[in-house]
Amino acid sequence: MLPPNTCDWGFPEPHEWSNDDDVVAAGADLAPTTLLYAYSHGMFPMYLGNRHRDLGWWSPVARGVIPLDGLRVTRSMKQSARKFTVTINQSFAEVMQQCASAHTEGQWITQEFIDAYCTLHALGHAHSVEVWNTDNRLIGGLYGVRINNFFAGESMFHLQRDASKVAVMHLVDAMNAAGMTLLDTQWCTDHLASLGCVEVPRAQYLELLAHSVTP
């Protein structure tokens, strides 16, 4: 395991961030120490969307989180969960590749990202949840980064109804069993809101994060 507070780059401090912009820095790299430092300080990487594909570091002004005691589980999700098999950390790279295929518009999960997060996975810092059907086909999943009691959900996909939601169900169960405290979803989309995701102001999120990443 790598310490989350060692980094070769000089990121701006939160008091220097704009209160009107989700992007708080640009540049740096996707080295394991850079990623862990960024996540532990409220940032995550995505390309800026310009033609040069510059790397940006984001900390949304309104941050999406799923309260671990507030997941909304529907009857359909429960029925699907009984039909599917769920595993953890069995096919990390394949989950990332499927997530990349599912987000073709504005593609940001490039091979550079896949390589970087697979390295984090090999070091024990990035994890995946896989959902399989009765034919042993991967039909859904998610991946993200864990630092102590914090999990940053990066992306998820589904090839069958409710498969990604079942992955979230199992992630929340695993986090609760491990005594974890914060599940970050970056933004609160309509899909995530249907699962109980809420928005919190950046300052409040950073307080929750500091508590969760501290051993």
Side-chain angles (χ1 to χ4, degrees):
M1 293 286 188
L2 297 172
N5 288 313
T6 301
C7 180
D8 294 330
W9 300 93
F11 283 100
E13 296 294 327
H15 70 268
E16 301 175 283
W17 298 350
S18 168
N19 292 324
D20 302 313
D21 196 343
D22 289 350
V23 180
V24 297
D29 57 28
L30 295 176
T33 51
T34 307
L35 288 169
L36 292 176
Y37 179 89
Y39 279 104
S40 66
H41 290 79
M43 299 173 284
F44 58 86
M46 286 180 64
Y47 294 119
L48 291 174
N50 57 31
R51 65 186 181 89
H52 299 295
R53 303 289 278 173
D54 292 327
L55 189 62
W57 296 90
W58 304 67
S59 184
V61 175
R63 194 70 168 239
V65 301
I66 295 179
L68 295 179
D69 61 353
L71 182 68
R72 295 175 187 162
V73 180
T74 65
R75 179 180 300 178
S76 173
M77 290 165 61
K78 291 179 180 178
Q79 291 173 341
S80 295
R82 288 193 288 268
K83 296 185 294 183
F84 300 152
T85 299
V86 181
T87 57
I88 294 177
N89 290 331
Q90 296 302 302
S91 295
F92 184 89
E94 187 176 357
V95 168
M96 280 205 73
Q97 290 159 358
Q98 289 286 356
C99 288
S101 298
H103 296 84
T104 53
E105 184 177 349
Q107 174 64 273
W108 62 271
I109 306 177
T110 62
Q111 191 60 48
E112 179 185 21
F113 269 74
I114 292 173
D115 291 344
Y117 284 82
C118 282
T119 298
L120 266 192
H121 173 64
L123 292 169
H125 294 286
H127 305 277
S128 60
V129 178
E130 304 91 15
V131 181
W132 312 82
N133 67 8
T134 53
D135 296 324
N136 202 33
R137 178 187 176 215
L138 183 64
I139 56 166
L142 60 83
Y143 76 94
V145 175
R146 177 180 179 178
I147 301 174
N148 295 320
N149 292 319
F150 162 69
F151 189 87
E154 275 294 305
S155 188
M156 59 185 176
F157 80 97
H158 70 276
L159 301 178
Q160 193 168 323
R161 180 181 175 183
D162 287 339
S164 61
K165 293 180 179 180
V166 169
V168 175
M169 284 175 56
H170 279 260
L171 173 64
V172 170
D173 285 345
M175 290 182 67
N176 279 321
M180 297 175 68
T181 54
L182 181 60
L183 173 52
D184 167 32
T185 67
Q186 300 178 348
W187 288 280
C188 184
T189 64
D190 290 342
H191 175 68
L192 291 170
S194 72
L195 295 173
C197 181
V198 297
E199 288 185 340
V200 297
R202 180 192 281 160
Q204 180 183 351
Y205 171 80
L206 292 176
E207 291 179 1
L208 295 171
L209 176 66
H211 175 74
S212 294
V213 300
T214 302

